């Protein structure tokens, strides 16, 4: 095991190089004649100087301290860490996709435009929406974009008093944050004892000041809200719109569609449901789909098909405008497109069915070991609570850290906020029964350890490259780059 | 059955009976019957690997790629050299299939790489702190403006007309719904018109936004703009080309409070516009207000150095509606590519790249002007991109050059209606003298 | 350790210590415990005028941020600069670590707050 960590700066030695550039083949002019001296920097930025082998070894070493989906089981609730097909990585590296400038003329990028157009069409079919924009770069970006569309629609009808948005107490943190950036005030509604939205509370809250409701269904407890049609009626009757947070779309592909549930706006996370890799935090892609009446408000440009060729339509007077440069994270969309084509309609349905089956299997197998606050059939994820273990002084964090020793990525902890000491497990469909059984036995062993050897959990992890890190120290006196580093 | 679903039918039956239900449909009992999808979705039937590859190759072949076409288009996305090690390293599954580093004990690779990235961005920009990256250059401008408004408690912003048109569009969208007014100041001879800027400053101006080199490729005088902004107690936001920062004075030294930019040039392919990365750096005073993720150094229980996501209380998962921004993701893999790029190029290589761009761009500019078919538009100094006016129909010109496998440039009339027949030409270190000479020859031979 | 003429408590878990026309404001032990290790304190601006219920500052731990509300109206006349450098002082002894001092504009507002006994009862019920 590696004991010393060095940054690339610490490995730098003057005179080493890892690049190869051509000689200047045009007549050279002294730099100061091209650019006035007062604009030029006195010394070059002190970037590291290393050889190519040094660079390769350094980043290879760093990679070994990471844990990816290919390393093992990653049951991180709400994040849908499914396997990322390798063929998509090959496809995305085809020169006709990587080497295309976004400002090339339309005739020279017909293949790219076709990918975007057809992905939009397929996502519309999967969700029951009428049209998609692929511009948003991430889920939260899609939320912001969708909420702006909601606001623009109300304003286009001279309905300017709708300044509030309803969000359930179980929602993702991005929901209220996005609503605030879009200029809405947030009103919370409570969940009932089933984990569904409390209909009475919704009825009382819904008024002509409410722009709409943001909802994840299945919700963050992994439960499908069976009252969805009534919820939609309550919101629509008072002139509001329904926004679907697609974070949990992996539970329902080919089984039910947000459009049929009554939703007006949907965002999807291609990096969750549609298998594009997370990249250690991004890039993702958060397309937004809408029903017919909201199509004019989508960000521009919109990709259209004339019957002969694909083109970018900028003539959209009601559009909220751009939310991102160019046309979105094209290379991410490309992988999702390839994924949908390789799965086909039956494959997508089987993916959701299996994701739900795997989650229920874990629910059943662990419900005697961990507290199950909502004891009913779940969808693609199951939320336990570590309150039983808390009696021995063991927290959800301790359980998560102990799982690292067993070679697993832990579940999401402390979310949703309405479950104390939450452990949110999302196995996804790409995990086999064998993997689930091994994980289940690790979880059972940890439950026993909590009772018999709580110290072992509280000091976990024991087998990782670093042990628990002092987060308070990091936040109190932040050292955020090499230059302010401690050089220890 | 898809190869991405490993369970056999028998295993599925076993699991169902373990759960205690007869049929998979019983697990969907909460979904009302009337909203169940009847029959298969209307999607193309599934393709095997061979069929899929052929189909995708066919689509790829419909595009004109920059290996077969000579690219002189820039305007915010550039055809720079990408060292081979980048793709090899970012393709390691431990990087690309990992989630956000919320479990630091098994994410030291991503975390340390981001720490190194933050350090490099600070070195380039001359700023105190950098975040872990944002979606792209345009959204970074918008986030910078939101930060400036929060920090100053003001609601008016002045953006240069020489700022990338798409950045201005994104800025307009972001601010439209949050009560911030964006006003634009003009330009003279291709550079920001300081008297127009000064006239438009108001006591409510939170920030002045400038791009350097600007959209026309011209180098702006950041110092003077910073002085004007600071006199008014407004912040200066500079959006910069990171390659140019190898040569140009760091904006932090010239008075910028927030420095952002499009980081695509740092080792990321053009990919028809994305994914790229937006870099975002700020002065120390703004540290606890910056949007996005930030990595910091700390120690573990045994005193060993390690890295964690820090200052998390700014973020949406804690502050919810009070968060400093709704941004949740960063473009980690693109930032990793940028980190490896800056490592590979290093102190001297990046400077060489920047010098080659400047030399070649100036050569191309003189050659085009010499032909008399193109005339000067602005006389101010530029870096790697310049505007020239074609004595003829520029649309006809670019269409003709496309047939000859040359992507000639960006037509400025799209965004500046009075600049008819003006072409914006970018020349990177990848362009050879021969390619430039060919552009010139083909451009004049009608 | 400071002895105040009057010490009162708010429902938002702030304490307020009165000394003449000045009020020292901090967070209670209960609030300190529930936040955990404090890593940053955002102080109000000197001279700012606050109404009762306005945000006086923010106290942050690693995984939580909590607004500190001013229980009374008044002008900020002193801030505890030491907390910018050493926020952990609050954890050491919250009831004796003030965040800011206000010039009291309406003494009647103080009467409406809870005394120690009432607050103890209130905070036990909160748990």
């Amino acid at each position: 095991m590696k004991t010393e960590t060095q940054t690339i700066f610490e490995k730098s030695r003057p005179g080493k190089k890892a690049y190869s550039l051509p000689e200047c083949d045009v007549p050279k002019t002294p730099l100061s004649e091209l650019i006035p001296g007062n604009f030029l920097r006195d010394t070059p930025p002190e970037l590291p100087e290393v050889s190519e082998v040094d660079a390769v070894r350094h980043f290879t070493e760093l990679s070994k301290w990471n844990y990816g989906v290919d390393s093992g089981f990653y049951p991180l609730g709400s994040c849908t860490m499914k396997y990322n097909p390798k063929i998509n990585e090959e496809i995305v590296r085809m020169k006709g996709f990587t080497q295309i400038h976004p400002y090339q003329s339309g005739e020279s990028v017909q293949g790219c435009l076709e990918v975007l157009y057809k992905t939009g069409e397929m996502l519309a079919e999967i969700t029951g929406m009428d049209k998609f924009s692929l511009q948003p770069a991430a889920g939260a970006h899609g939320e912001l974009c969708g909420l702006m569309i909601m606001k623009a629609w109300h304003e286009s009808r001279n309905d300017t008093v709708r300044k509030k948005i309803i969000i359930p107490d179980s929602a993702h943190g991005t929901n209220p944050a996005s609503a605030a950036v879009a200029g809405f005030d947030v009103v919370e509604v409570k969940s009932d004892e089933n984990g569904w939205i409390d209909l009475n509370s919704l009825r009382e809250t819904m008024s002509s000041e409410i722009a709409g409701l943001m909802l994840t269904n299945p919700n963050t407890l992994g439960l499908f809200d069976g009252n969805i049609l009534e919820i939609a009626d309550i919101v629509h009757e008072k002139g509001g719109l329904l926004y679907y947070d697609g974070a949990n779309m992996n539970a329902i592909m080919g089984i039910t569609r947000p459009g049929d549930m009554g939703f007006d706006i949907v965002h999807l996370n291609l990096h969750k449901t549609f298998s594009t890799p997370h990249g250690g935090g991004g890039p993702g892609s958060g397309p937004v789909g809408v029903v017919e009446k909201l199509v004019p408000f989508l960000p521009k440009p919109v990709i259209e098909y004339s019957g002969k060729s694909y083109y970018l339509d900028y003539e959209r007077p009601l559009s909220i405008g751009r939310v991102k440069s160019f046309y979105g994270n094209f290379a991410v969309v490309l992988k999702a497109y390839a994924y949908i084509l390789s799965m086909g309609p039956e494959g997508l349905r089987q993916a959701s069915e299996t994701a739900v089956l795997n989650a229920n299997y874990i629910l059943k197998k662990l419900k005697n070991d961990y507290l199950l606050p909502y004891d009913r059939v779940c969808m693609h994820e199951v939320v336990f609570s570590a309150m039983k273990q808390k009696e021995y002084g063991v927290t959800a964090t301790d359980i998560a850290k102990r799982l690292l020793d067993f070679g697993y990525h832990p579940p999401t902890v402390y979310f949703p906020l309405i479950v104390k000491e939450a452990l949110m497990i999302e196995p996804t469909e790409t995990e086999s029964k064998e993997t689930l059984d091994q994980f289940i036995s690790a979880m059972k062993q940890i439950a026993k350890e909590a009772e018999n050897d709580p110290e072992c959990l509280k000091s976990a992890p024991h087998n990782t490259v670093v042990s628990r890190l002092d987060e308070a120290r990091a936040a109190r006196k932040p050292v955020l780059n090499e230059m302010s580093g401690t050089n220890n | 059955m898809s190869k991405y679903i490993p369970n056999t039918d028998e295993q599925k039956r076993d699991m169902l009976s373990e759960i205690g239900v007869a049929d998979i449909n019983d697990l969907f009992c909460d979904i009302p019957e009337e909203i169940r999808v009847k029959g298969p979705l209307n999607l193309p039937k599934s393709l095997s690997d061979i069929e899929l590859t052929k189909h995708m190759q066919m689509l790829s072949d419909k595009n004109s790629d920059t290996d077969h076409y000579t690219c002189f288009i820039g305007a915010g996305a550039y055809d720079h050299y990408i060292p081979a090690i980048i793709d090899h390293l970012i393709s390691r599954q431990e990087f690309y299939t990992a989630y956000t580093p919320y479990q630091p004990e098994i994410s030291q690779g991503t975390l340390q790489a981001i720490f190194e990235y933050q350090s490099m961005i600070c070195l380039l920009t001359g700023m105190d702190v950098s975040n872990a990256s944002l979606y792209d250059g345009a959204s970074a401008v918008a986030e910078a403006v939101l930060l400036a408004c929060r920090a100053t408690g003001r609601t008016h912003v002045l953006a240069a007309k020489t700022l990338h048109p798409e950045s201005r569009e994104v800025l307009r969208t972001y601010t439209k719904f949050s009560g911030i007014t964006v006003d634009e100041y003009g330009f003279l001879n291709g550079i920001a018109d300081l008297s127009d800027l000064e006239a438009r400053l108001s006591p409510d101006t939170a920030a002045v936004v400038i791009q350097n080199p600007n959209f026309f490729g011209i180098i702006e005088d950041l110092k003077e703009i910073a002085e004007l902004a600071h006199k008014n107690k407004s912040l200066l936001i500079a959006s910069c080309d990171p390659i140019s920062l190898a040569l140009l004075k760091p904006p932090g030294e010239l008075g910028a409070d927030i420095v952002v930019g499009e980081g695509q040039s740092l080792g990321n392919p053009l990919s028809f516009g994305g994914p790229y990365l937006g870099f975002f750096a700020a002065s120390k005073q703004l540290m606890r207000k910056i949007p996005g993720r930030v990595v910091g150094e700390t120690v573990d229980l045994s005193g060993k150095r390690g890295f964690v996501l820090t200052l998390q209380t700014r973020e949406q998962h804690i502050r919810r509606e009070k968060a400093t921004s709704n941004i949740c993701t960063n473009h980690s893999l693109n930032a990793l590519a940028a980190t490896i790029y800056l490592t590979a190029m290093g102190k001297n290589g990046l400077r060489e790249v920047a010098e080659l761009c400047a030399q070649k761009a100036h050569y191309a500019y003189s050659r085009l002007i010499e032909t008399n078919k193109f005339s000067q538009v602005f006389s101010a100094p530029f870096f790697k991109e310049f505007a020239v006016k074609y004595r003829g129909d520029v649309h006809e010109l670019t269409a003709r050059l496309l047939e000859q496998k040359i992507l000639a440039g960006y037509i400025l009339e799209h965004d500046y209606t009075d600049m008819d027949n003006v072409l914006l030409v970018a020349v990177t270190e990848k362009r050879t003298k021969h390619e430039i000479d060919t552009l010139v020859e083909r451009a004049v031979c009608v | 350790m400071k002895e105040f003429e009057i010490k009162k408590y708010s429902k938002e878990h702030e304490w307020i210590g009165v000394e003449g026309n000045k009020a020292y404001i901090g967070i209670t032990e209960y609030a300190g415990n529930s936040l955990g290790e404090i890593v940053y304190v955002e102080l109000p601006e000197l001279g700012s005028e606050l109404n009762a219920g306005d945000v006086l500052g923010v106290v942050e731990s690693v995984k939580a941020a909590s607004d500190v509300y001013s229980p009374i109206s008044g002008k900020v006349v002193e801030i505890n600069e030491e907390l910018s450098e050493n926020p952990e002082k609050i954890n050491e002894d919250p009831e004796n670590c003030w965040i800011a001092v206000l010039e009291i504009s309406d003494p009647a507002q103080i009467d409406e707050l809870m005394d120690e006994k009432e607050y103890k009862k209130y905070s036990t019920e909160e748990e």
Side-chain angles (χ1 to χ4, degrees), chain A residues 193-238:
Chain A
E193 67 283 0
N194 289 325
W196 297 4
I197 280 197
D198 187 301
L199 287 181
N200 286 329
S201 154
L202 179 66
R203 266 190 211 99
E204 279 164 27
T205 315
M206 196 56 217
S207 73
S208 57
E209 285 180 10
I210 304 281
L213 167 72
M214 276 185 105
L215 194 64
T216 314
N217 197 22
N219 63 22
T220 58
L221 295 164
L223 305 176
F224 190 91
D225 196 320
N227 289 332
I228 184 60
L229 291 170
E230 280 172 273
I231 291 171
D233 282 345
I234 294 170
V235 174
H236 284 150
E237 262 168 30
K238 291 272 171 70

Side-chain angles (χ1 to χ4, degrees), chain A residues 110-130:
Chain A
Q110 282 298 301
C112 293
L113 293 176
E114 185 173 338
V115 167
L116 291 173
Y117 183 83
K118 292 207 164 142
T119 307
E121 278 198 321
M122 296 194 297
L123 296 178
E125 167 66 12
I126 293 167
T127 55
M129 292 290 117
D130 286 299

Side-chain angles (χ1 to χ4, degrees), chain A residues 150-159 162 210-212 239-241:
Chain A
M150 189 186 281
K151 206 161 195 190
W153 181 76
H154 285 305
E155 282 174 8
S156 77
R157 295 152 45 95
N158 292 321
D159 191 347
R162 295 184 188 263
I210 304 281
L241 295 177

Side-chain angles (χ1 to χ4, degrees), chain A residues 87-277:
Chain A
I87 194 172
N88 297 348
E89 298 299 315
E90 271 188 20
I91 287 165
V92 80
R93 282 168 174 79
M94 289 175 177
K95 295 287 181 198
F97 295 129
T98 51
Q99 307 284 83
I100 306 299
H101 193 288
Y103 285 142
Q104 286 179 220
S105 65
E107 67 203 276
S108 71
V109 295
Q110 282 298 301
C112 293
L113 293 176
E114 185 173 338
V115 167
L116 291 173
Y117 183 83
K118 292 207 164 142
T119 307
E121 278 198 321
M122 296 194 297
L123 296 178
E125 167 66 12
I126 293 167
T127 55
M129 292 290 117
D130 286 299
K131 186 137 184 105
F132 263 83
S133 165
L134 301 157
Q135 220 176 74
H141 204 210
E143 286 175 18
L144 180 60
C145 173
L147 288 167
M148 286 172 174
I149 291 170
M150 189 186 281
K151 206 161 195 190
W153 181 76
H154 285 305
E155 282 174 8
S156 77
R157 295 152 45 95
N158 292 321
D159 191 347
T160 53
V161 295
R162 295 184 188 263
K163 304 262 188 238
K164 293 179 192 163
I165 197 117
I166 303 179
I167 298 178
D169 55 4
S170 60
H172 294 112
T174 50
N175 288 181
S178 300
V181 177
F184 286 115
D185 291 328
V186 174
V187 188
E188 221 176 61
V189 287
K190 298 265 174 247
S191 307
D192 68 11
E193 67 283 0
N194 289 325
W196 297 4
I197 280 197
D198 187 301
L199 287 181
N200 286 329
S201 154
L202 179 66
R203 266 190 211 99
E204 279 164 27
T205 315
M206 196 56 217
S207 73
S208 57
E209 285 180 10
I210 304 281
L213 167 72
M214 276 185 105
L215 194 64
T216 314
N217 197 22
N219 63 22
T220 58
L221 295 164
L223 305 176
F224 190 91
D225 196 320
N227 289 332
I228 184 60
L229 291 170
E230 280 172 273
I231 291 171
D233 282 345
I234 294 170
V235 174
H236 284 150
E237 262 168 30
K238 291 272 171 70
L241 295 177
L242 259 83
Y243 183 99
Y244 186 84
D245 175 340
N248 295 344
M249 190 70 203
N250 207 43
I252 59 165
M253 286 187 293
I255 292 159
T256 179
R257 311 191 303 171
D260 301 335
M261 297 178 212
F263 286 93
D264 304 290
I265 307 171
V266 169
H267 92 259
L268 295 172
N269 299 71
L270 299 187
H271 46 286
K272 295 181 180 174
T273 317
F274 297 94
S275 87
T276 76

Side-chain angles (χ1 to χ4, degrees), chain A residues 411-445:
Chain A
T412 295
V413 289
Y414 299 102
F415 184 82
L417 304 177
I418 55 175
V419 173
K420 281 184 184 168
E421 298 290 330
L423 291 161
M424 185 190 211
I425 300 172
E426 180 182 5
T428 85
E429 75 282 7
T430 62
E431 300 301 333
S432 64
K433 179 171 180 294
E434 291 85 349
T435 302
L436 302 182
D437 284 336
Q438 284 157 14
F439 172 75
I440 287 160
S441 82
M443 286 294 284
K444 284 180 182 292
Q445 185 179 329

